[in-house]
Amino acid sequence: MKLLFYAAKTYDRKSFDPELKNYPDTKIDYIEHELDSRSAVLAKGYDAVCAFVNADIGPETLEKLKEAGVRAVLMRCAGYNNVDTETAHKLGIYVKRVPAYSPEAVAELAMALALAVNRRLYKAYNKVRENDYSLKNLRGVNMRGKTAGIVGTGKIGAYMCEQCRGFGMKVIAYDVYENESLKDFVTYVSLDELLRTSDLISLHCPLIESTYHMINIDAIKKMKDDVILVNTSRGALISTNDLIEGIRMNKFLGVGLDVYEEETGNVYEDRSDEIMQHSVTSRLLSFPNVMITSHQGFYTKEALEAIAQTTLQNLTDALAGKQTENDV
Ligand code: NAD
């Protein structure tokens, strides 16, 4: 079985190569190119391709993969909003993903971002390094006793709820499907009520048509002043321009983003020597209460091992024509 692994990083090889001992018939070729309509032709002669969150797997890419003889697209992530699944199904290409690799990893980063923006840790770190031991602009709030509003209480959101409970917060949530296992300490409310009453809002729902820009200026205006907003799910859940407007209205105590709309092109690249033109990300970074990380929620040892194991099993299953719960 031949797998072409797009947008490969050193850490991918480190987690996938050791797993190959369990899949002796599988050979992986790693390339740095992102999977898109131009690079899809490189997959000629491969049984399957492996891609990540910022690949462009639209109709054109899928047609070219089909022409190249590819039978499966293996997403080494949970989200698949960048895959045109309808076209894939029409072309008979399996699309499999890794629905749960380490939800704790993402939830822990969400909490880390909430704490970091609350206590301005990114500023404190740099201040002390520069011999500035003043406490100017570092004041935060206690988390204990505050209300955490969790949007989406699936695998990651559920852990976020638990963490917030651990901090002594009151936990409320909004989801289209309520998670019965959380109901002993989580109160489900409408999205409107969550926006109006939460001190911390953390987004853990997928990016789909109904959630696109769910945090827009109308939603932001409903929020309490001095709210903390965290997004570790997908950038386009938040309208960046509206977020900037909200920040300028002094709505937020802090904003922690592991994902943001403009991240494609930035994610996992070193662009430190480039002059950014027309970048809303640069504008976001100019605010003292915003901290952005580069889609690193999944990036723990345990998560990477689990991703490698599940992806290689997905390859075996897909090429055996086996449908599993990892199909999308
Ligand atoms: P999940 O499928 O287990 O949970 C998603 C939850 O969102 C479900 O309970 C679902 O009912 C709910 N939901 C769906 N539509 C909704 C809506 N309109 N409003 C409110 N809730 C809604 O998914 P998960 O594993 O918890 O992952 C959540 C998201 O985290 C993924 O979609 C992915 O985009 C993101 N993610 C980010 C990283 C990262 O590295 N930052 C890593 C993994 C996943």
Side-chain angles (χ1 to χ4, degrees):
M1 285 182 260
K2 285 185 72 187
L3 175 66
L4 185 60
F5 197 110
Y6 281 88
K9 303 286 178 203
T10 312
Y11 65 77
D12 289 315
R13 290 166 191 253
K14 279 189 184 160
S15 57
F16 274 77
D17 282 346
E19 279 306 314
L20 283 176
K21 65 178 181 308
N22 300 320
Y23 298 89
D25 297 336
T26 299
K27 182 176 180 302
I28 305 180
D29 283 329
Y30 298 94
I31 57 169
E32 287 177 16
H33 291 284
E34 187 61 275
L35 173 58
D36 59 24
S37 57
R38 284 164 304 157
S39 62
V41 291
L42 299 172
K44 195 164 176 51
Y46 289 87
D47 300 300
V49 296
C50 182
F52 198 47
V53 289
N54 285 305
D56 168 7
I57 314 175
E60 209 186 325
T61 305
L62 287 160
E63 296 279 1
K64 289 198 176 150
L65 289 176
K66 180 75 186 173
E67 279 167 32
V70 167
R71 287 149 62 200
V73 172
L74 308 171
M75 301 304 294
R76 53 181 188 277
C77 53
Y80 54 92
N81 52 284
N82 52 337
V83 188
D84 180 348
T85 48
E86 214 178 300
T87 303
H89 295 159
K90 256 190 244 155
L91 294 171
I93 296 178
Y94 276 101
V95 181
K96 289 186 186 272
R97 65 176 181 138
V98 187
Y101 35 89
S102 178
E104 305 89 333
V106 185
E108 285 172 14
L109 185 81
M111 184 49 99
L113 283 170
L115 295 171
V117 296
N118 175 17
R119 306 303 290 267
R120 300 281 197 271
L121 293 186
Y122 46 95
K123 273 180 171 286
Y125 172 75
N126 284 320
K127 273 161 69 78
V128 172
R129 278 169 71 95
E130 294 190 5
N131 274 346
D132 173 1
Y133 305 100
S134 73
L135 296 179
K136 203 171 154 217
N137 301 324
L138 297 183
R139 196 189 68 187
V141 296
N142 288 5
M143 297 298 241
R144 189 176 181 82
K146 298 290 187 304
T147 299
I150 310 301
V151 181
T153 51
K155 292 174 286 296
I156 297 170
Y159 278 109
M160 188 61 179
C161 289
E162 281 182 20
Q163 293 183 125
C164 292
R165 172 173 63 165
F167 271 82
M169 303 180 83
K170 174 183 170 194
V171 188
I172 61 173
Y174 167 71
D175 197 315
V176 284
Y177 298 104
E178 301 187 356
N179 185 338
E180 293 300 321
S181 70
L182 297 172
K183 285 196 171 168
D184 57 331
F185 69 98
V186 173
T187 308
Y188 280 93
V189 297
S190 66
L191 181 60
D192 250 42
E193 188 177 341
L194 184 146
L195 295 171
R196 279 190 291 100
T197 57
S198 300
D199 300 292
L200 160 65
I201 297 174
S202 193
L203 306 179
H204 300 285
C205 57
L207 175 61
I208 46 179
E209 221 174 298
S210 62
T211 59
Y212 176 78
H213 284 185
M214 73 191 301
I215 304 298
N216 52 26
I217 196 63
D218 294 334
I220 291 169
K221 282 181 178 161
K222 289 175 190 161
M223 294 178 192
K224 281 170 91 166
D225 286 344
D226 284 337
V227 63
I228 294 173
L229 176 65
V230 171
N231 187 9
T232 55
S233 279
R234 284 292 180 267
L237 294 178
I238 301 179
S239 156
T240 313
N241 284 325
D242 289 6
L243 177 63
I244 290 169
E245 192 180 336
I247 293 168
R248 289 190 169 133
M249 284 158 48
N250 279 324
K251 202 55 165 163
F252 300 98
L253 176 63
V255 177
L257 305 175
D258 189 44
V259 291
Y260 53 96
E261 286 188 292
E262 256 189 3
E263 71 178 45
T264 306
N266 289 353
V267 166
Y268 314 136
E269 300 301 325
D270 176 1
R271 304 185 70 184
S272 52
D273 204 31
E274 287 179 39
I275 292 166
M276 295 297 198
Q277 311 281 345
H278 319 295
S279 164
V280 283
T281 313
S282 312
R283 215 177 325 148
L284 266 183
L285 284 167
S286 71
F287 298 115
N289 53 349
V290 175
M291 179 173 179
I292 301 184
T293 50
S294 186
H295 213 130
Q296 67 175 71
F298 74 100
Y299 197 49
T300 65
K301 179 176 174 287
E302 293 81 356
L304 290 174
E305 284 168 2
I307 288 170
Q309 283 159 12
T310 307
T311 304
L312 290 175
Q313 188 55 47
N314 282 347
L315 172 66
T316 308
D317 291 341
L319 297 188
K322 193 168 154 192
Q323 294 203 329
T324 64
E325 58 187 8
N326 297 346
D327 288 27
V328 292

